[in-house]
Amino acid sequence: MTGTTDPSRTAAPVPSGPMTGRMLSRLLGWFDSKIGLPFDRLRFRISLRHLSGPRKIDLPREAVTVVALVRDGAYYLDVFLAHYRALGVSHFVFCDTGSTDDTLAQLAQESDVTVLQCRLPWGRFENIFRGYAARRFSADRWCLFADMDEILDFEGQAQLGLSGLLRYLNRHGYSAMMAQMLEMFPQAPLRSVAQQSYPEVQRCFCHYDISAVRALPYHDPASGLGFFLSRNQIPDAPPPKMQFGGIRGAVFGERCCLSKHPLVFIGTDVDPAVHPHVSAGVRVADTMAVLKHYKFANDPMARDQASLAADAIPHGEDALRVAGFAKRPDLTLWSQTAQKYDGPETGPAALRKAGFLQVSARYLAEIAD
């Protein structure tokens, strides 16, 4: 498994009214937290194994640890590790759900990597797995949750670096930074690039299309995430948005959530990774990052077919994509509304100006100094 976006508990807008949606979301969340989660956590701890790397890490408070769920992620590893090391990450914790390729052998050779494994069905246990890893390896420090096919960029990256960004977040009392997922694709039929290596994908998948993105206010119950988000504080200027759909919605009919809390300070009052996209009990920052999402790399047609056969997650998006590829074998995501992403120097700023990212004037003034 690499780069999941919307398992069964991920937000798809509900068709009911605001009050009904809010009550149902909170009722289901309460039931899960009081009855389902304690039993699942016990099963998880019994099944958990430490495979390689340090069991404990002694890092300064300003250090950042990446927590990543992985299964058969060897395709992504070199690019993933290089990007986040260059960004300033100090340690990686990979939560393996049953890799059978070279992932585990490769990671065992890395001195700054810890690998844990739980082979229980990942669609049910991924939140528990990520949350456990964050609390154990990032307590009282910042944790960066990233899927294997996600590359984080943010405005001011060249000026501040990750350490400067964290100083800004700490100075203003924030405990989480949001990001919006940006689907990256090539100017070619997807089938023609299915066998490209991940370094090649980084060069060729340089387009995006946000013309079909649908936005909701952060606390709108129609997001389906009200139970979790109700505990979070958000800035007034500009208010963050929860975003859905985008190019995957337009082409395949997916109702995928694009908004995440990838960067979270794991304090005692924070519940990290309570959902694949969000943490609870956080104070959300007044600036956002972009997560470049390479969902359509690494032979997506074959991966979706394998996912359907395994029946790992019941959200139906894999089936929608398989049906879309079957109807149009030479399907391309590129069109006249596609735009080119020009890298971290100008890409996040262009997305901010387009309204895709919400960033405050205070943050922009700081990176301009």
Side-chain angles (χ1 to χ4, degrees):
M1 191 286 304
T2 57
T4 179
T5 48
D6 281 271
S8 58
R9 286 174 282 181
T10 302
V14 294
S16 52
M19 184 61 69
T20 302
R22 186 182 301 114
M23 291 176 61
L24 179 60
S25 176
R26 292 184 177 181
L27 178 62
L28 291 175
W30 180 90
F31 181 85
D32 192 41
S33 65
K34 299 299 182 182
I35 299 175
L37 279 178
F39 180 66
D40 283 351
R41 284 176 179 145
L42 177 61
R43 290 182 62 195
F44 166 77
R45 290 303 298 270
I46 292 171
S47 69
L48 182 66
R49 298 173 59 207
H50 175 274
L51 296 188
S52 63
R55 292 178 179 271
K56 295 182 180 180
I57 54 175
D58 185 16
L59 296 173
R61 195 169 187 266
E62 61 270 18
V64 178
T65 301
V66 159
V67 168
L69 201 72
V70 64
R71 185 173 68 196
D72 294 339
Y75 171 87
Y76 304 91
L77 278 180
D78 288 344
V79 169
F80 185 90
L81 291 170
H83 175 78
Y84 287 105
R85 283 169 176 158
L87 200 60
V89 166
S90 299
H91 196 79
F92 298 81
V93 180
F94 286 92
C95 303
D96 185 77
T97 63
S99 291
T100 58
D101 65 356
D102 291 335
T103 297
L104 301 179
Q106 290 186 42
L107 292 177
Q109 305 303 312
E110 305 293 339
S111 61
D112 57 351
V113 168
T114 294
V115 181
L116 308 176
Q117 187 179 72
C118 172
R119 300 176 69 93
L120 293 171
W122 66 265
R124 181 171 183 85
F125 288 89
E126 62 171 320
N127 301 335
I128 296 174
F129 205 166
R130 286 193 187 96
Y132 170 85
R135 290 187 185 94
R136 179 174 168 183
F137 292 94
S138 292
D140 203 33
R141 290 198 308 273
W142 285 91
C143 178
L144 203 167
F145 296 100
D147 286 333
M148 299 301 295
D149 57 2
E150 294 175 346
I151 297 294
L152 183 86
D153 282 346
F154 58 91
E155 194 164 358
Q157 188 168 317
Q159 301 96 309
L160 298 180
L162 186 59
S163 59
L165 173 65
L166 297 185
R167 285 194 297 272
Y168 176 86
L169 300 179
N170 290 331
R171 183 163 58 252
H172 296 291
Y174 297 124
S175 55
M177 181 180 183
M178 281 185 69
Q180 304 290 358
M181 297 174 65
L182 189 70
E183 304 294 346
M184 306 301 297
F185 53 83
Q187 193 174 350
L190 294 176
R191 184 172 65 171
S192 69
V193 296
Q195 304 305 318
Q196 279 189 340
S197 69
Y198 203 33
E200 290 174 319
V201 163
Q202 297 296 306
R203 294 189 293 271
C204 297
F205 284 46
C206 55
H207 289 87
Y208 65 90
D209 189 339
I210 57 175
S211 60
V213 170
R214 186 168 72 89
L216 293 173
Y218 186 88
H219 284 127
D220 193 320
S223 73
L225 289 166
F227 177 79
F228 307 111
L229 300 183
S230 63
R231 294 178 51 196
N232 296 343
Q233 301 177 50
I234 59 173
D236 293 329
K241 299 174 183 176
M242 299 298 292
Q243 300 187 153
F244 299 86
I247 190 67
R248 288 164 56 191
V251 174
F252 299 104
E254 297 182 51
R255 302 170 71 188
C256 48
C257 181
L258 307 177
S259 304
K260 284 192 168 187
H261 296 148
L263 193 56
V264 180
F265 186 83
I266 312 300
T268 56
D269 55 347
V270 169
D271 287 334
V274 292
H275 178 278
H277 284 233
V278 303
S279 294
V282 299
R283 185 167 182 244
V284 179
D286 61 355
T287 185
M288 285 186 183
V290 58
L291 277 170
K292 294 182 292 180
H293 190 209
Y294 295 91
K295 182 76 172 179
F296 297 98
N298 192 21
D299 199 351
M301 296 77 86
R303 287 190 294 108
D304 285 337
Q305 289 168 347
S307 178
L308 277 181
D311 195 26
I313 45 178
H315 58 54
E317 293 172 3
D318 296 341
L320 289 172
R321 290 192 295 272
V322 167
F325 285 123
K327 290 179 181 178
R328 299 166 57 191
D330 289 323
L331 185 148
T332 178
L333 302 182
W334 192 89
S335 71
Q336 293 301 320
T337 57
Q339 301 176 69
K340 188 174 182 181
Y341 187 87
D342 290 325
E345 296 80 12
T346 58
L351 292 167
R352 167 179 55 81
K353 293 172 184 176
F356 185 72
L357 302 180
Q358 290 83 59
V359 180
S360 72
R362 179 175 65 182
Y363 178 79
L364 295 175
E366 183 137 337
I367 63 176
D369 289 341

